[in-house]
Amino acid sequence: MRVLIVEDEVRLAEALGQIISEQKYSADVVHDGAAGLDYALSGLYDVIVLDVMLPKLSGFEVVRGIRAAKITTPVILLTAKDEVSDKVTGLDCGADDYMTKPFAPEELLARIRALSRRQGDVVLSEMTFADLTLNLSAYTLSRGAKSVHLGNKEFEVLRILMANPKQIVSKEDLIIKVWGMESDAEDNNVEAYISFLRKKFYFLGSKVNINTIRKVGYRLEAEEGC
Ligand code: CA
């Protein structure tokens, strides 16, 4: 399960990220509403934990943006004060649940679990592109009966490409989404993982290519006939 945390109080955000990672969930942390919306629109998350009072865009505006884009990821709002109006506004904007700060981490985890269960059938178990199937829980890539295991970063890179089929995904986007905003990963890192993935496609005998669009990024494409 992948959780997005949007919280501008850096210490709280880091603490939440750590608590969530300890559950073996993957957590991405961003600190303002604009970045939160951008990440959420990737559609890669199973649950979004979203503060209301945020720089750039408020939590309410972020939920509205997510729902306007028809992204159904469950959202838990974090409200600073126990104000009924905030809760009503949040739920009206399309949030699924809210918690009032301060809260016990166990309660947040319980609500994350409950919301991800409620989504149940909506959470994807696999993604497909042409002749390839990416299994999202086993981290395997298969074509017909043949299958290979993917490393963490390979998996994330491919998952993002598959979520944006036939669109160009920039190297910057991949670095931010796979390595994180504050990492010092460089273009070379992305190129290395793209090359690992190409070798695995080749091994599987797939007709899918990762095309390099010079100075722009990558695009997943399939040869004719599949
Ligand atoms: Ca805040």
Side-chain angles (χ1 to χ4, degrees):
M1 177 153 72
R2 205 174 163 111
V3 181
L4 175 64
I5 299 159
V6 191
E7 166 61 73
D8 59 321
E9 288 166 48
V10 175
R11 282 175 61 188
L12 174 61
E14 300 307 328
L16 293 177
Q18 191 170 353
I19 290 161
I20 287 167
S21 307
E22 280 164 8
Q23 304 300 305
K24 304 247 185 323
Y25 304 152
S26 155
D28 289 332
V29 179
V30 293
H31 303 299
D32 69 69
L37 181 57
D38 186 37
Y39 274 57
L41 291 181
S42 70
L44 292 175
Y45 298 97
D46 302 301
V47 175
I48 299 169
V49 178
L50 178 64
D51 188 28
V52 171
M53 300 285 284
L54 287 168
K56 298 190 183 170
L57 289 176
S58 76
F60 298 143
E61 290 170 304
V62 174
V63 190
R64 245 183 250 126
I66 295 171
R67 297 301 180 235
K70 305 267 184 281
I71 303 249
T72 57
T73 312
V75 173
I76 304 176
L77 281 179
L78 303 180
T79 61
K81 4 171 217 193
D82 192 6
E83 281 193 349
V84 176
S85 63
D86 268 9
K87 294 171 186 167
V88 173
T89 309
L91 298 173
D92 279 351
C93 288
D96 300 86
D97 201 355
Y98 58 83
M99 293 198 63
T100 307
K101 294 178 190 173
F103 50 80
E106 295 73 29
E107 192 183 351
L108 179 65
L109 289 174
R111 293 195 188 200
I112 288 174
R113 279 194 295 272
L115 278 179
S116 63
R117 267 201 305 273
R118 203 194 294 169
Q119 263 235 327
D121 50 353
V122 185
V123 174
L124 294 173
S125 61
E126 56 183 40
M127 297 170 90
T128 57
F129 182 82
D131 56 3
L132 291 177
T133 301
L134 180 66
N135 185 308
L136 302 182
S137 49
Y139 281 45
T140 54
L141 180 67
S142 51
R143 175 177 169 267
K146 249 182 162 180
S147 141
V148 282
H149 186 78
L150 299 184
N152 245 325
K153 298 277 189 273
E154 288 173 324
F155 173 83
E156 293 299 342
V157 168
L158 184 56
R159 178 159 137 139
I160 292 166
L161 291 173
M162 279 190 163
N164 301 278
K166 298 182 184 171
Q167 294 172 41
I168 299 174
V169 179
S170 73
K171 280 185 183 171
E172 292 72 37
D173 254 19
L174 287 171
I175 289 176
I176 290 173
K177 287 175 180 158
V178 176
W179 281 266
M181 197 102 73
E182 269 137 48
S183 86
D184 37 21
E186 287 172 15
D187 287 7
N188 292 347
N189 299 72
V190 180
E191 281 158 23
Y193 284 97
I194 294 286
S195 133
F196 296 155
L197 283 170
R198 284 184 178 134
K199 287 188 181 123
K200 293 194 169 169
F201 290 7
Y202 180 77
F203 169 80
L204 293 170
S206 172
K207 294 188 170 172
V208 176
N209 294 318
I210 303 175
N211 288 336
T212 304
I213 316 298
R214 258 181 72 88
K215 296 190 176 155
V216 187
Y218 299 99
R219 185 168 54 202
L220 209 53
E221 283 174 1
E223 280 170 34
E224 296 289 313
C226 67

